[in-house]
Amino acid sequence: MSTPIKTGLCSYGHSGYAFHAPFLHVHPGFELTAVTERSKHLAQQRYPSVKIYPDVMSMIGDPSLELIIVNTPNYSHYEYTKAALLAGKHVVVEKPFTVTSAEGEELIELAKKQQKLIIVYQNRRYDSDYKIVRRVVEEGLIGDVLEVEFHYDRFKEELSYKKHKEAASPGTGVLYDLGSHLIDQALTIFGMPEAVFGDVRIIRRESVVDDYFELLLYYPSLRVRLKSSYLVKEALPAYILHGRKGSFIKSKSDIQEALLMKGVLPDTPDWGAEAPAEWGLLHTEKDGKTVKEFLPGGNGNYLDFYKGVYGAIREGKPNPVTPEEGLNVVKVIEAGFRSSAERRVVTL
């Protein structure tokens, strides 16, 4: 393997601790070189050789770094990604790619000019539950798909301790947050819709940001409904698909985040394996006979994302999540807000 990619991590909060640092640590093609931490220096406790910077811009200016991971609040994605590109770095930027499509388009053009990669961190493409859903569709196990419903629900009346998530400012709210995951999953399987209808609301008593949404994506012969709410005590299945031959029902069951938050490193052969109790129910027709069975979910693995990042930077392989794909997610979010405000279907 060639020289490791020296990488700087813009934040060591939840995402830095769980979703990025462990995978950079176990993948031999990366070197977690620098982290931005203002005071606690928690990263050095786990990764002693890492260099700590007091602010993001100082770290971006480090000439030894080749890759910057922008995992800061949504409103700052544009600023830090632009700064990193101008400094000659490749960038992994968390979802949503940017707050507005205009920002995303500008960054895409800048990346081309700088001849650097922007890779959007859409980790839920690598969840075990989503991977089996995609397989069901791609292998035609329920025939032509006619109706789909994806859920990402929580039950949490109280506001987040993360102040930036609960401020009425650009890029906050559940549609930008959890919606980015659901939209990306839908677009990855079905492509861009022709039109969007959105219902975006605030339902928690003290909230000033949207914490409920329903999007309806219109395709020529398919409807995809995406829903998220912070006040769902008894969750429905996360994935419900109906086709001409049958149906597939699946829970949200990926275990990686829970393991990562416990400090477990993603370096075991059985990493991300689903429990049999969480396997999805397939009720369909095979060879003219009705079949009702549970499909093994397999393994989720966010390391596959970083394998893709390494391949794109070092080996010229395809970008695992292109900025154009990230931009499409933002366009659907914008259409959802506009539809909700105007109470009409918005054509894309």
Side-chain angles (χ1 to χ4, degrees), residues 105-149:
E105 289 165 353
E106 180 186 335
L107 291 178
I108 288 172
E109 290 306 309
L110 178 59
K112 291 176 182 177
K113 180 180 178 182
Q114 296 293 101
Q115 297 185 322
K116 296 299 175 182
L117 290 174
I118 298 174
I119 305 170
V120 183
Y121 185 68
Q122 289 284 1
N123 64 310
R124 298 299 173 181
R125 292 188 185 188
Y126 303 88
D127 281 354
S128 59
D129 41 44
Y130 166 73
K131 288 167 72 176
I132 190 64
V133 167
R134 184 169 182 173
R135 181 192 143 202
V136 165
V137 174
E138 292 179 346
E139 294 184 6
L141 299 185
I142 60 172
D144 294 336
V145 183
L146 303 172
E147 181 184 2
V148 169
E149 191 165 323

Side-chain angles (χ1 to χ4, degrees), residues 258-314:
L259 293 173
L260 292 163
M261 289 308 296
K262 292 177 182 177
V264 180
L265 285 175
D267 57 358
T268 57
D270 62 344
W271 175 260
E274 271 194 0
E278 298 291 351
W279 292 356
L281 175 63
L282 177 66
H283 190 178
T284 190
E285 293 180 9
K286 288 184 179 179
D287 301 322
K289 297 180 180 179
T290 298
V291 174
K292 196 171 184 178
E293 62 184 4
F294 290 94
L295 289 185
N299 292 42
N301 197 346
Y302 302 146
L303 185 60
D304 289 342
F305 171 81
Y306 273 107
K307 288 179 180 178
V309 173
Y310 182 85
I313 293 175
R314 280 287 183 266

Side-chain angles (χ1 to χ4, degrees), residues 68-323:
I68 299 294
I69 298 174
V70 178
N71 61 326
T72 50
N74 297 348
Y75 66 83
S76 65
H77 288 184
Y78 166 78
E79 176 188 1
Y80 292 146
T81 300
K82 183 175 182 178
L85 291 171
L86 290 172
K89 322 292 188 185
H90 299 293
V91 182
V92 166
V93 55
E94 287 196 338
K95 60 78 198 167
F97 171 31
T98 51
V99 172
T100 70
S101 55
E103 291 176 340
E105 289 165 353
E106 180 186 335
L107 291 178
I108 288 172
E109 290 306 309
L110 178 59
K112 291 176 182 177
K113 180 180 178 182
Q114 296 293 101
Q115 297 185 322
K116 296 299 175 182
L117 290 174
I118 298 174
I119 305 170
V120 183
Y121 185 68
Q122 289 284 1
N123 64 310
R124 298 299 173 181
R125 292 188 185 188
Y126 303 88
D127 281 354
S128 59
D129 41 44
Y130 166 73
K131 288 167 72 176
I132 190 64
V133 167
R134 184 169 182 173
R135 181 192 143 202
V136 165
V137 174
E138 292 179 346
E139 294 184 6
L141 299 185
I142 60 172
D144 294 336
V145 183
L146 303 172
E147 181 184 2
V148 169
E149 191 165 323
F150 290 176
H151 283 255
Y152 200 153
D153 296 318
R154 294 173 172 172
F155 186 79
K156 192 175 183 182
E157 177 77 66
E158 66 273 16
L159 303 186
S160 172
Y161 69 91
K162 298 178 181 178
K163 303 290 187 184
H164 67 270
K165 286 199 168 189
E166 301 290 358
S169 56
T172 57
V174 69
L175 184 50
Y176 273 104
D177 185 15
L178 303 183
S180 292
H181 290 307
L182 293 180
I183 295 167
D184 181 72
Q185 289 184 341
L187 300 193
T188 304
I189 298 177
F190 303 111
M192 279 292 278
E194 296 176 334
V196 175
F197 178 78
D199 180 21
V200 187
R201 297 195 290 152
I202 298 173
I203 60 175
R204 291 174 299 164
R205 291 188 184 93
E206 304 299 326
S207 181
V208 296
V209 302
D210 56 281
D211 44 27
Y212 168 99
F213 74 81
E214 178 175 357
L215 297 185
L216 184 59
L217 310 186
Y218 291 78
Y219 297 85
S221 59
L222 167 69
R223 297 292 181 268
V224 175
R225 183 173 289 106
L226 308 177
K227 296 190 68 175
S228 182
S229 170
Y230 280 8
L231 291 179
V232 175
K233 190 75 167 179
E234 186 66 29
L236 293 169
Y239 302 94
I240 304 168
L241 298 90
H242 302 297
R244 291 196 182 277
K245 289 170 54 179
S247 300
F248 184 66
I249 310 297
K250 182 73 180 72
S251 62
K252 181 167 285 297
S253 51
D254 191 88
I255 63 171
Q256 294 181 85
E257 184 172 359
L259 293 173
L260 292 163
M261 289 308 296
K262 292 177 182 177
V264 180
L265 285 175
D267 57 358
T268 57
D270 62 344
W271 175 260
E274 271 194 0
E278 298 291 351
W279 292 356
L281 175 63
L282 177 66
H283 190 178
T284 190
E285 293 180 9
K286 288 184 179 179
D287 301 322
K289 297 180 180 179
T290 298
V291 174
K292 196 171 184 178
E293 62 184 4
F294 290 94
L295 289 185
N299 292 42
N301 197 346
Y302 302 146
L303 185 60
D304 289 342
F305 171 81
Y306 273 107
K307 288 179 180 178
V309 173
Y310 182 85
I313 293 175
R314 280 287 183 266
E315 300 167 349
K317 292 182 179 179
N319 186 333
V321 188
T322 69

Side-chain angles (χ1 to χ4, degrees), residues 31-104:
E31 178 188 299
L32 180 55
T33 306
V35 174
T36 298
E37 282 193 277
R38 289 186 176 85
S39 57
K40 295 183 180 179
H41 294 194
L42 298 176
Q44 280 185 332
Q45 295 178 23
R46 197 172 192 196
Y47 310 103
S49 64
V50 75
K51 183 176 181 178
I52 301 298
Y53 280 92
D55 61 85
V56 171
M57 289 302 190
S58 296
M59 186 185 73
I60 288 175
D62 184 336
S64 73
L65 299 178
E66 188 175 354
L67 172 67
I68 299 294
I69 298 174
V70 178
N71 61 326
T72 50
N74 297 348
Y75 66 83
S76 65
H77 288 184
Y78 166 78
E79 176 188 1
Y80 292 146
T81 300
K82 183 175 182 178
L85 291 171
L86 290 172
K89 322 292 188 185
H90 299 293
V91 182
V92 166
V93 55
E94 287 196 338
K95 60 78 198 167
F97 171 31
T98 51
V99 172
T100 70
S101 55
E103 291 176 340

